[in-house]
Amino acid sequence: MPYFDAASAAPLHPVAREALLASLDEGWADPVRLYREGRRARMLLDAAREAAAEAVGCRPDELVFTPSGTQAVHSGMSGALAARRRVGRGLVHSAVEHSAVLHAAEVHTAAGGTVTQVGVDRTGRVAAGEFAAALRADTALACLQSANHEVGTEQPVEEVAAHCQEAGVPLLVDAAQSLAWGPVPGAWSLLTASAHKWGGPPGVGLLAVRKGTRFAPQGPADERESGRAPGFGNLPGIVAAAAALRALRAEAAGGADEAARLRELVGRIRTRVPELVGEVEVVGDPVRRLPHLVTFSCLYVDGEVLLQELDRAGFSVSSGSSCTSSTLTPSHVLRAMGVLSEGNVRVSLPYGTDEADVERFLQVLPGVVRSVREQLGVPVEKPEKPAAAGEETGLVVDALGRRCPIPVIELAKVIGRVPVGGTVTVLSDDEAARQDIPAWCAMREQEYVGEQDAERGAAYVVRRRV
Amino acid sequence: MPYFDAASAAPLHPVAREALLASLDEGWADPVRLYREGRRARMLLDAAREAAAEAVGCRPDELVFTPSGTQAVHSGMSGALAARRRVGRGLVHSAVEHSAVLHAAEVHTAAGGTVTQVGVDRTGRVAAGEFAAALRADTALACLQSANHEVGTEQPVEEVAAHCQEAGVPLLVDAAQSLAWGPVPGAWSLLTASAHKWGGPPGVGLLAVRKGTRFAPQGPADERESGRAPGFGNLPGIVAAAAALRALRAEAAGGADEAARLRELVGRIRTRVPELVGEVEVVGDPVRRLPHLVTFSCLYVDGEVLLQELDRAGFSVSSGSSCTSSTLTPSHVLRAMGVLSEGNVRVSLPYGTDEADVERFLQVLPGVVRSVREQLGVPVEKPEKPAAAGEETGLVVDALGRRCPIPVIELAKVIGRVPVGGTVTVLSDDEAARQDIPAWCAMREQEYVGEQDAERGAAYVVRRRV
């Protein structure tokens, strides 16, 4: 059964499994103790730290293990911000960071700090110059992911790191999605990652703080992991995580170019899904991207139903559609990119994905999308009744109380009833409409006029162009 | 090779190992995802939560899993303190809590809160009435361990919980050392524990917050574990931890009274070590204690050397002596109890400890202690030169720059030179002397007069009584 959600969690690498088993026997004791079981645990911990540091490209004493990538981000940000409090309280990050960064930024704001978000283009990429321009004299910390977790777009980390260095601002790189594929280049100051994204077990993250970076750990003191990760460490998990990372690097060095193989498979999905399905927007940078991840959105499709149908067909994928989130808002990444969020599917291929599974996905997907669209009564391609001269030039569609993708479907149904130059106004209180109506206009080459206040929700005005 | 440091970390219970292996295959995916791997992970997580809640004696929705017992304490304390900030900023805890509580208390103090420590008697036990008297109108939270991690003494948790309930103050119970042996009785509000103390893997703690307890999680928001433990959970570890706890309870219910068996073995150590070794103080409550843990201190012994020699003889134990701590201060628990800290040994028997190993320990220990004492030139029992009338009645011993146990050894060497009623003044800059000189006096029935300021360190005055 093909599992295509490696960006959430990857199955355990076989080497990690072996290392975990071995360290359950050898690595359960407290590595700070001086007796033989403690010394053995200490040796395992030291070896794991060296392996991880080598894969990250830092010194072993610059790297600590945390209980998760999220906690690495939280600790890294709070420690760096606190250490530079006298410099200022400014925090700069891209608009498409992982929620771990956004949540830590909220805490910073609540404590009186200021946050500057740097926007992205339609591919989800920040412009290095724009990022540099956001750095100010009072900027204490900048955060930029190495690659986006939802759309796979790589960020210009090396260039941004150079700008940060010049400005004297430490840069924290969230490398959760990319570390499996190689170290992050450039003069970053802090780096975080999460083992269960690279085939390690859950329960292990890492935080690297390069020498010379001011750092003041926050929260209660603890002597373990240089005071940067409180509590008794998950040593068997750490050993397994380091073993998996070392194995990935060794396989790559040995000529097994899994990244290139997955890149080609993802390329097929990028090319063929629009051809096979129709009314699809493939998002993210087509070239500067993670090898294993692709996201596309299908017009007139309910994301949650699509995921359920794909699951029934045997495919496990993820989505950034509003209907798949607990808050009923679309993914902040897709919103920042200004792209369609409805019918959104993220495919992220685990290491070793079978090519035949990808082909089968491409066979199954069109039928699944068609059936979901049929259930929703999606309009036919051509307007049923071409608008004649003299017909009403303004139409109002009431989609209040109806959720994504219904407002867009209702718009598409009636656009043909107004003449070219006429407008359709969609009343909607669905958060996704704010994003998806403009995105639909861009895809269909209609003009998005704008949003107006309404008694309930908002009124979205569209002018027919074609 | 007998490992006698279960209070630091217990080897994995065989049931935990099996459960861990199974959940590596079944429980690696994200339990919030809706596809089959996610649903499977969710079922495992739900089952683990139910099992742990049953063992704790709370509802499943009152319990979350954290990455460690330490993080459970930190989160539990900060969440409870923040939720009752309007009531006041007072925190009450015993003087012998785990460092996780003390460190969280330091953060609370640094943020403007007040902390009241409740002292303990010579067995390490708080008096429930004294604890109750420390509760004030502005007390936001009280913390009391179920049993002490260094000396095994059980605290009157049920009684203290009743006092807290009456005062309307939530009580957080750190049950790290006792949960293996049974649920904590009484009307506590929050409870924390650590899986690797009960035979679960490292990387798992738990925090129970009973309904009706005000709680406001601190730090960055996160939707997992009711917002009380950020980051992707360590599901295989959680499943294994819950399985181990369930197995312990099932074994106890099935009549296998491991607690009684270990209690008897510990009883042997308590009785026979003073007989076999001499000049030993066994500390902690002899009856109201954990079944598996005993601590004793050997006069005129360097704790670090003792641990090394025991390790060489094949026994892994722990110590609260100053020379075994990174700060060169004795354990705060022994200090609060006012007992000897030098030559301190904590024996904590893991589940299933072989009786023969305990017997062998009792055979080996006397010779090991003797050889350590010989290396240090310990004074013979009787004063070499009985003091005669007219001899000088005051003597000063300069032990500056010399570490535990030397100042006490030097004192013992010269006490016979002064007449009964005369004094010996020990100059020492070793932190352990402040604790061990009075403790020595109590053991030897000499009078501890007090401490005086000195140019370097302090001057400890002892009056000869016998």
Side-chain angles (χ1 to χ4, degrees), chain A residues 45-65 179 183 188 191 198 206-208 210 242 245 249:
Chain A
L45 179 58
D46 288 347
R49 200 185 309 277
E50 274 172 37
E54 198 186 331
V56 164
C58 68
R59 290 166 28 173
D61 62 351
E62 294 172 336
L63 185 144
V64 300
F65 294 104
L179 196 64
W188 48 264
L191 181 142
W198 72 62
L206 63 81
L207 167 63
R210 277 190 170 146
L245 195 51
R249 292 285 192 275

PDB file of all heavy atoms in Angstrom, chain A residues 45-65 179 183 188 191 198 206-208 210 242 245 249:
ATOM      1  N   LEU A  45      26.155   7.958  22.676  1.00  0.00           N
ATOM      2  CA  LEU A  45      25.685   9.333  22.486  1.00  0.00           C
ATOM      3  C   LEU A  45      26.737  10.166  21.762  1.00  0.00           C
ATOM      4  O   LEU A  45      26.421  10.909  20.819  1.00  0.00           O
ATOM      5  CB  LEU A  45      25.349   9.952  23.851  1.00  0.00           C
ATOM      6  CG  LEU A  45      24.868  11.397  23.861  1.00  0.00           C
ATOM      7  CD1 LEU A  45      23.621  11.576  22.999  1.00  0.00           C
ATOM      8  CD2 LEU A  45      24.584  11.863  25.293  1.00  0.00           C
ATOM      9  N   ASP A  46      27.988  10.021  22.179  1.00  0.00           N
ATOM     10  CA  ASP A  46      29.067  10.784  21.533  1.00  0.00           C
ATOM     11  C   ASP A  46      29.188  10.418  20.050  1.00  0.00           C
ATOM     12  O   ASP A  46      29.358  11.287  19.193  1.00  0.00           O
ATOM     13  CB  ASP A  46      30.401  10.523  22.242  1.00  0.00           C
ATOM     14  CG  ASP A  46      30.467  11.182  23.619  1.00  0.00           C
ATOM     15  OD1 ASP A  46      29.603  12.030  23.912  1.00  0.00           O
ATOM     16  OD2 ASP A  46      31.370  10.840  24.404  1.00  0.00           O
ATOM     17  N   ALA A  47      29.102   9.115  19.782  1.00  0.00           N
ATOM     18  CA  ALA A  47      29.223   8.667  18.383  1.00  0.00           C
ATOM     19  C   ALA A  47      28.056   9.192  17.551  1.00  0.00           C
ATOM     20  O   ALA A  47      28.231   9.613  16.396  1.00  0.00           O
ATOM     21  CB  ALA A  47      29.289   7.145  18.322  1.00  0.00           C
ATOM     22  N   ALA A  48      26.858   9.179  18.133  1.00  0.00           N
ATOM     23  CA  ALA A  48      25.683   9.686  17.408  1.00  0.00           C
ATOM     24  C   ALA A  48      25.836  11.177  17.130  1.00  0.00           C
ATOM     25  O   ALA A  48      25.512  11.661  16.039  1.00  0.00           O
ATOM     26  CB  ALA A  48      24.420   9.432  18.228  1.00  0.00           C
ATOM     27  N   ARG A  49      26.352  11.890  18.114  1.00  0.00           N
ATOM     28  CA  ARG A  49      26.523  13.331  17.938  1.00  0.00           C
ATOM     29  C   ARG A  49      27.538  13.612  16.829  1.00  0.00           C
ATOM     30  O   ARG A  49      27.340  14.496  16.000  1.00  0.00           O
ATOM     31  CB  ARG A  49      26.969  13.969  19.254  1.00  0.00           C
ATOM     32  CG  ARG A  49      26.726  15.466  19.320  1.00  0.00           C
ATOM     33  CD  ARG A  49      27.283  16.105  20.591  1.00  0.00           C
ATOM     34  NE  ARG A  49      26.883  15.447  21.806  1.00  0.00           N
ATOM     35  CZ  ARG A  49      25.731  15.654  22.428  1.00  0.00           C
ATOM     36  NH1 ARG A  49      24.861  16.501  21.917  1.00  0.00           N
ATOM     37  NH2 ARG A  49      25.447  15.015  23.538  1.00  0.00           N
ATOM     38  N   GLU A  50      28.626  12.843  16.826  1.00  0.00           N
ATOM     39  CA  GLU A  50      29.625  13.045  15.766  1.00  0.00           C
ATOM     40  C   GLU A  50      29.045  12.777  14.387  1.00  0.00           C
ATOM     41  O   GLU A  50      29.275  13.522  13.442  1.00  0.00           O
ATOM     42  CB  GLU A  50      30.833  12.135  16.006  1.00  0.00           C
ATOM     43  CG  GLU A  50      31.843  12.768  16.937  1.00  0.00           C
ATOM     44  CD  GLU A  50      32.952  11.804  17.332  1.00  0.00           C
ATOM     45  OE1 GLU A  50      33.388  10.998  16.483  1.00  0.00           O
ATOM     46  OE2 GLU A  50      33.359  11.858  18.507  1.00  0.00           O
ATOM     47  N   ALA A  51      28.287  11.689  14.276  1.00  0.00           N
ATOM     48  CA  ALA A  51      27.698  11.340  12.974  1.00  0.00           C
ATOM     49  C   ALA A  51      26.722  12.417  12.514  1.00  0.00           C
ATOM     50  O   ALA A  51      26.728  12.835  11.347  1.00  0.00           O
ATOM     51  CB  ALA A  51      27.000   9.987  13.069  1.00  0.00           C
ATOM     52  N   ALA A  52      25.886  12.867  13.445  1.00  0.00           N
ATOM     53  CA  ALA A  52      24.898  13.881  13.075  1.00  0.00           C
ATOM     54  C   ALA A  52      25.586  15.191  12.701  1.00  0.00           C
ATOM     55  O   ALA A  52      25.196  15.863  11.740  1.00  0.00           O
ATOM     56  CB  ALA A  52      23.910  14.094  14.223  1.00  0.00           C
ATOM     57  N   ALA A  53      26.614  15.548  13.468  1.00  0.00           N
ATOM     58  CA  ALA A  53      27.322  16.805  13.196  1.00  0.00           C
ATOM     59  C   ALA A  53      27.983  16.754  11.824  1.00  0.00           C
ATOM     60  O   ALA A  53      27.969  17.741  11.078  1.00  0.00           O
ATOM     61  CB  ALA A  53      28.362  17.067  14.283  1.00  0.00           C
ATOM     62  N   GLU A  54      28.529  15.608  11.488  1.00  0.00           N
ATOM     63  CA  GLU A  54      29.162  15.481  10.175  1.00  0.00           C
ATOM     64  C   GLU A  54      28.115  15.664   9.068  1.00  0.00           C
ATOM     65  O   GLU A  54      28.361  16.342   8.069  1.00  0.00           O
ATOM     66  CB  GLU A  54      29.841  14.118  10.062  1.00  0.00           C
ATOM     67  CG  GLU A  54      30.856  14.086   8.936  1.00  0.00           C
ATOM     68  CD  GLU A  54      31.428  12.693   8.717  1.00  0.00           C
ATOM     69  OE1 GLU A  54      31.498  11.920   9.692  1.00  0.00           O
ATOM     70  OE2 GLU A  54      31.777  12.394   7.549  1.00  0.00           O
ATOM     71  N   ALA A  55      26.959  15.061   9.254  1.00  0.00           N
ATOM     72  CA  ALA A  55      25.906  15.174   8.233  1.00  0.00           C
ATOM     73  C   ALA A  55      25.374  16.602   8.138  1.00  0.00           C
ATOM     74  O   ALA A  55      24.956  17.049   7.072  1.00  0.00           O
ATOM     75  CB  ALA A  55      24.777  14.200   8.557  1.00  0.00           C
ATOM     76  N   VAL A  56      25.370  17.315   9.261  1.00  0.00           N
ATOM     77  CA  VAL A  56      24.862  18.688   9.274  1.00  0.00           C
ATOM     78  C   VAL A  56      25.928  19.653   8.743  1.00  0.00           C
ATOM     79  O   VAL A  56      25.606  20.660   8.106  1.00  0.00           O
ATOM     80  CB  VAL A  56      24.458  19.082  10.719  1.00  0.00           C
ATOM     81  CG1 VAL A  56      24.290  20.584  10.867  1.00  0.00           C
ATOM     82  CG2 VAL A  56      23.176  18.357  11.112  1.00  0.00           C
ATOM     83  N   GLY A  57      27.194  19.299   8.996  1.00  0.00           N
ATOM     84  CA  GLY A  57      28.277  20.207   8.627  1.00  0.00           C
ATOM     85  C   GLY A  57      28.594  21.171   9.754  1.00  0.00           C
ATOM     86  O   GLY A  57      28.711  22.383   9.549  1.00  0.00           O
ATOM     87  N   CYS A  58      28.687  20.637  10.969  1.00  0.00           N
ATOM     88  CA  CYS A  58      29.068  21.469  12.109  1.00  0.00           C
ATOM     89  C   CYS A  58      29.941  20.633  13.030  1.00  0.00           C
ATOM     90  O   CYS A  58      30.190  19.456  12.756  1.00  0.00           O
ATOM     91  CB  CYS A  58      27.844  22.003  12.857  1.00  0.00           C
ATOM     92  SG  CYS A  58      26.890  20.737  13.717  1.00  0.00           S
ATOM     93  N   ARG A  59      30.421  21.237  14.113  1.00  0.00           N
ATOM     94  CA  ARG A  59      31.223  20.502  15.078  1.00  0.00           C
ATOM     95  C   ARG A  59      30.311  19.756  16.042  1.00  0.00           C
ATOM     96  O   ARG A  59      29.221  20.236  16.356  1.00  0.00           O
ATOM     97  CB  ARG A  59      32.112  21.476  15.863  1.00  0.00           C
ATOM     98  CG  ARG A  59      33.212  22.079  15.021  1.00  0.00           C
ATOM     99  CD  ARG A  59      33.883  23.270  15.660  1.00  0.00           C
ATOM    100  NE  ARG A  59      33.862  23.255  17.116  1.00  0.00           N
ATOM    101  CZ  ARG A  59      34.520  24.143  17.874  1.00  0.00           C
ATOM    102  NH1 ARG A  59      35.242  25.095  17.297  1.00  0.00           N
ATOM    103  NH2 ARG A  59      34.451  24.080  19.181  1.00  0.00           N
ATOM    104  N   PRO A  60      30.763  18.603  16.546  1.00  0.00           N
ATOM    105  CA  PRO A  60      29.905  17.858  17.485  1.00  0.00           C
ATOM    106  C   PRO A  60      29.483  18.694  18.690  1.00  0.00           C
ATOM    107  O   PRO A  60      28.344  18.573  19.147  1.00  0.00           O
ATOM    108  CB  PRO A  60      30.794  16.690  17.923  1.00  0.00           C
ATOM    109  CG  PRO A  60      31.751  16.492  16.798  1.00  0.00           C
ATOM    110  CD  PRO A  60      31.990  17.863  16.224  1.00  0.00           C
ATOM    111  N   ASP A  61      30.378  19.559  19.184  1.00  0.00           N
ATOM    112  CA  ASP A  61      29.985  20.327  20.372  1.00  0.00           C
ATOM    113  C   ASP A  61      29.060  21.489  20.031  1.00  0.00           C
ATOM    114  O   ASP A  61      28.660  22.243  20.920  1.00  0.00           O
ATOM    115  CB  ASP A  61      31.218  20.804  21.156  1.00  0.00           C
ATOM    116  CG  ASP A  61      32.095  21.735  20.334  1.00  0.00           C
ATOM    117  OD1 ASP A  61      31.842  21.883  19.116  1.00  0.00           O
ATOM    118  OD2 ASP A  61      33.033  22.314  20.896  1.00  0.00           O
ATOM    119  N   GLU A  62      28.732  21.642  18.761  1.00  0.00           N
ATOM    120  CA  GLU A  62      27.753  22.665  18.371  1.00  0.00           C
ATOM    121  C   GLU A  62      26.345  22.084  18.255  1.00  0.00           C
ATOM    122  O   GLU A  62      25.382  22.814  18.017  1.00  0.00           O
ATOM    123  CB  GLU A  62      28.150  23.293  17.031  1.00  0.00           C
ATOM    124  CG  GLU A  62      29.460  24.086  17.108  1.00  0.00           C
ATOM    125  CD  GLU A  62      29.965  24.547  15.738  1.00  0.00           C
ATOM    126  OE1 GLU A  62      29.608  23.922  14.711  1.00  0.00           O
ATOM    127  OE2 GLU A  62      30.721  25.526  15.693  1.00  0.00           O
ATOM    128  N   LEU A  63      26.230  20.776  18.391  1.00  0.00           N
ATOM    129  CA  LEU A  63      24.955  20.108  18.104  1.00  0.00           C
ATOM    130  C   LEU A  63      24.376  19.427  19.340  1.00  0.00           C
ATOM    131  O   LEU A  63      25.088  18.720  20.050  1.00  0.00           O
ATOM    132  CB  LEU A  63      25.186  19.068  16.991  1.00  0.00           C
ATOM    133  CG  LEU A  63      23.958  18.333  16.456  1.00  0.00           C
ATOM    134  CD1 LEU A  63      24.116  18.086  14.960  1.00  0.00           C
ATOM    135  CD2 LEU A  63      23.710  17.033  17.182  1.00  0.00           C
ATOM    136  N   VAL A  64      23.103  19.669  19.597  1.00  0.00           N
ATOM    137  CA  VAL A  64      22.411  18.943  20.661  1.00  0.00           C
ATOM    138  C   VAL A  64      21.191  18.246  20.082  1.00  0.00           C
ATOM    139  O   VAL A  64      20.656  18.645  19.039  1.00  0.00           O
ATOM    140  CB  VAL A  64      21.972  19.865  21.825  1.00  0.00           C
ATOM    141  CG1 VAL A  64      23.176  20.545  22.457  1.00  0.00           C
ATOM    142  CG2 VAL A  64      20.938  20.882  21.377  1.00  0.00           C
ATOM    143  N   PHE A  65      20.783  17.188  20.770  1.00  0.00           N
ATOM    144  CA  PHE A  65      19.573  16.474  20.367  1.00  0.00           C
ATOM    145  C   PHE A  65      18.400  16.952  21.211  1.00  0.00           C
ATOM    146  O   PHE A  65      18.539  17.178  22.422  1.00  0.00           O
ATOM    147  CB  PHE A  65      19.773  14.973  20.537  1.00  0.00           C
ATOM    148  CG  PHE A  65      20.802  14.400  19.609  1.00  0.00           C
ATOM    149  CD1 PHE A  65      22.068  14.056  20.059  1.00  0.00           C
ATOM    150  CD2 PHE A  65      20.511  14.233  18.258  1.00  0.00           C
ATOM    151  CE1 PHE A  65      23.025  13.542  19.200  1.00  0.00           C
ATOM    152  CE2 PHE A  65      21.464  13.719  17.381  1.00  0.00           C
ATOM    153  CZ  PHE A  65      22.730  13.363  17.848  1.00  0.00           C
ATOM    154  N   LEU A 179      17.246  17.950   5.162  1.00  0.00           N
ATOM    155  CA  LEU A 179      18.503  17.395   5.680  1.00  0.00           C
ATOM    156  C   LEU A 179      18.773  15.975   5.176  1.00  0.00           C
ATOM    157  O   LEU A 179      19.928  15.571   5.040  1.00  0.00           O
ATOM    158  CB  LEU A 179      18.529  17.440   7.218  1.00  0.00           C
ATOM    159  CG  LEU A 179      19.924  17.249   7.823  1.00  0.00           C
ATOM    160  CD1 LEU A 179      20.861  18.375   7.428  1.00  0.00           C
ATOM    161  CD2 LEU A 179      19.863  17.139   9.340  1.00  0.00           C
ATOM    162  N   PRO A 183      23.633  18.470   3.405  1.00  0.00           N
ATOM    163  CA  PRO A 183      23.796  19.563   4.363  1.00  0.00           C
ATOM    164  C   PRO A 183      23.310  20.884   3.774  1.00  0.00           C
ATOM    165  O   PRO A 183      23.234  21.029   2.553  1.00  0.00           O
ATOM    166  CB  PRO A 183      25.300  19.589   4.631  1.00  0.00           C
ATOM    167  CG  PRO A 183      25.929  18.906   3.482  1.00  0.00           C
ATOM    168  CD  PRO A 183      24.924  17.966   2.896  1.00  0.00           C
ATOM    169  N   TRP A 188      24.965  29.914   7.837  1.00  0.00           N
ATOM    170  CA  TRP A 188      23.881  29.966   8.830  1.00  0.00           C
ATOM    171  C   TRP A 188      24.480  29.914  10.236  1.00  0.00           C
ATOM    172  O   TRP A 188      25.593  29.430  10.436  1.00  0.00           O
ATOM    173  CB  TRP A 188      22.876  28.833   8.610  1.00  0.00           C
ATOM    174  CG  TRP A 188      23.470  27.473   8.416  1.00  0.00           C
ATOM    175  CD1 TRP A 188      23.732  26.851   7.226  1.00  0.00           C
ATOM    176  CD2 TRP A 188      23.885  26.545   9.446  1.00  0.00           C
ATOM    177  NE1 TRP A 188      24.287  25.610   7.447  1.00  0.00           N
ATOM    178  CE2 TRP A 188      24.381  25.394   8.787  1.00  0.00           C
ATOM    179  CE3 TRP A 188      23.883  26.571  10.831  1.00  0.00           C
ATOM    180  CZ2 TRP A 188      24.885  24.289   9.490  1.00  0.00           C
ATOM    181  CZ3 TRP A 188      24.377  25.472  11.531  1.00  0.00           C
ATOM    182  CH2 TRP A 188      24.877  24.356  10.850  1.00  0.00           C
ATOM    183  N   LEU A 191      20.687  25.796  13.139  1.00  0.00           N
ATOM    184  CA  LEU A 191      19.987  24.889  12.217  1.00  0.00           C
ATOM    185  C   LEU A 191      19.191  23.881  13.036  1.00  0.00           C
ATOM    186  O   LEU A 191      19.655  23.409  14.075  1.00  0.00           O
ATOM    187  CB  LEU A 191      21.014  24.182  11.321  1.00  0.00           C
ATOM    188  CG  LEU A 191      20.440  23.209  10.279  1.00  0.00           C
ATOM    189  CD1 LEU A 191      21.238  23.306   8.974  1.00  0.00           C
ATOM    190  CD2 LEU A 191      20.430  21.778  10.786  1.00  0.00           C
ATOM    191  N   TRP A 198      13.694  11.934   8.100  1.00  0.00           N
ATOM    192  CA  TRP A 198      14.767  11.336   7.295  1.00  0.00           C
ATOM    193  C   TRP A 198      14.850   9.827   7.535  1.00  0.00           C
ATOM    194  O   TRP A 198      15.833   9.192   7.149  1.00  0.00           O
ATOM    195  CB  TRP A 198      16.101  12.029   7.512  1.00  0.00           C
ATOM    196  CG  TRP A 198      16.810  11.818   8.831  1.00  0.00           C
ATOM    197  CD1 TRP A 198      17.266  10.614   9.311  1.00  0.00           C
ATOM    198  CD2 TRP A 198      17.182  12.791   9.824  1.00  0.00           C
ATOM    199  NE1 TRP A 198      17.883  10.783  10.534  1.00  0.00           N
ATOM    200  CE2 TRP A 198      17.850  12.109  10.871  1.00  0.00           C
ATOM    201  CE3 TRP A 198      17.035  14.173   9.920  1.00  0.00           C
ATOM    202  CZ2 TRP A 198      18.349  12.765  11.998  1.00  0.00           C
ATOM    203  CZ3 TRP A 198      17.531  14.813  11.048  1.00  0.00           C
ATOM    204  CH2 TRP A 198      18.172  14.114  12.064  1.00  0.00           C
ATOM    205  N   LEU A 206      17.121  17.842  16.170  1.00  0.00           N
ATOM    206  CA  LEU A 206      18.463  18.345  16.473  1.00  0.00           C
ATOM    207  C   LEU A 206      18.521  19.849  16.310  1.00  0.00           C
ATOM    208  O   LEU A 206      17.796  20.441  15.513  1.00  0.00           O
ATOM    209  CB  LEU A 206      19.534  17.629  15.646  1.00  0.00           C
ATOM    210  CG  LEU A 206      19.555  17.728  14.137  1.00  0.00           C
ATOM    211  CD1 LEU A 206      20.194  19.028  13.671  1.00  0.00           C
ATOM    212  CD2 LEU A 206      20.357  16.555  13.564  1.00  0.00           C
ATOM    213  N   LEU A 207      19.388  20.432  17.118  1.00  0.00           N
ATOM    214  CA  LEU A 207      19.613  21.876  17.102  1.00  0.00           C
ATOM    215  C   LEU A 207      21.119  22.111  17.059  1.00  0.00           C
ATOM    216  O   LEU A 207      21.838  21.670  17.956  1.00  0.00           O
ATOM    217  CB  LEU A 207      19.031  22.514  18.372  1.00  0.00           C
ATOM    218  CG  LEU A 207      19.452  23.966  18.673  1.00  0.00           C
ATOM    219  CD1 LEU A 207      18.972  24.920  17.585  1.00  0.00           C
ATOM    220  CD2 LEU A 207      18.900  24.410  20.033  1.00  0.00           C
ATOM    221  N   ALA A 208      21.569  22.760  15.998  1.00  0.00           N
ATOM    222  CA  ALA A 208      22.985  23.137  15.901  1.00  0.00           C
ATOM    223  C   ALA A 208      23.088  24.644  16.107  1.00  0.00           C
ATOM    224  O   ALA A 208      22.315  25.409  15.532  1.00  0.00           O
ATOM    225  CB  ALA A 208      23.541  22.747  14.535  1.00  0.00           C
ATOM    226  N   ARG A 210      26.100  27.319  15.856  1.00  0.00           N
ATOM    227  CA  ARG A 210      27.518  27.449  15.528  1.00  0.00           C
ATOM    228  C   ARG A 210      28.249  28.345  16.516  1.00  0.00           C
ATOM    229  O   ARG A 210      27.685  29.314  17.013  1.00  0.00           O
ATOM    230  CB  ARG A 210      27.677  27.990  14.097  1.00  0.00           C
ATOM    231  CG  ARG A 210      27.566  26.885  13.071  1.00  0.00           C
ATOM    232  CD  ARG A 210      27.950  27.350  11.686  1.00  0.00           C
ATOM    233  NE  ARG A 210      28.066  26.214  10.774  1.00  0.00           N
ATOM    234  CZ  ARG A 210      27.747  26.257   9.485  1.00  0.00           C
ATOM    235  NH1 ARG A 210      27.291  27.373   8.950  1.00  0.00           N
ATOM    236  NH2 ARG A 210      27.896  25.191   8.735  1.00  0.00           N
ATOM    237  N   ALA A 242      20.771   9.001  14.172  1.00  0.00           N
ATOM    238  CA  ALA A 242      22.099   9.285  13.615  1.00  0.00           C
ATOM    239  C   ALA A 242      22.508   8.203  12.627  1.00  0.00           C
ATOM    240  O   ALA A 242      23.096   8.483  11.579  1.00  0.00           O
ATOM    241  CB  ALA A 242      23.121   9.400  14.738  1.00  0.00           C
ATOM    242  N   LEU A 245      20.761   8.776   9.309  1.00  0.00           N
ATOM    243  CA  LEU A 245      21.321   9.915   8.578  1.00  0.00           C
ATOM    244  C   LEU A 245      22.669   9.540   7.956  1.00  0.00           C
ATOM    245  O   LEU A 245      22.942   9.847   6.788  1.00  0.00           O
ATOM    246  CB  LEU A 245      21.474  11.101   9.537  1.00  0.00           C
ATOM    247  CG  LEU A 245      21.696  12.482   8.945  1.00  0.00           C
ATOM    248  CD1 LEU A 245      20.662  12.823   7.885  1.00  0.00           C
ATOM    249  CD2 LEU A 245      21.673  13.536  10.052  1.00  0.00           C
ATOM    250  N   ARG A 249      23.685   9.343   3.864  1.00  0.00           N
ATOM    251  CA  ARG A 249      24.855  10.012   3.296  1.00  0.00           C
ATOM    252  C   ARG A 249      25.792   8.994   2.634  1.00  0.00           C
ATOM    253  O   ARG A 249      26.357   9.251   1.571  1.00  0.00           O
ATOM    254  CB  ARG A 249      25.620  10.759   4.379  1.00  0.00           C
ATOM    255  CG  ARG A 249      24.898  11.943   4.958  1.00  0.00           C
ATOM    256  CD  ARG A 249      24.903  13.121   3.980  1.00  0.00           C
ATOM    257  NE  ARG A 249      24.450  14.325   4.650  1.00  0.00           N
ATOM    258  CZ  ARG A 249      23.172  14.671   4.805  1.00  0.00           C
ATOM    259  NH1 ARG A 249      22.207  13.910   4.292  1.00  0.00           N
ATOM    260  NH2 ARG A 249      22.842  15.764   5.452  1.00  0.00           N
TER     261      ARG A 249
END
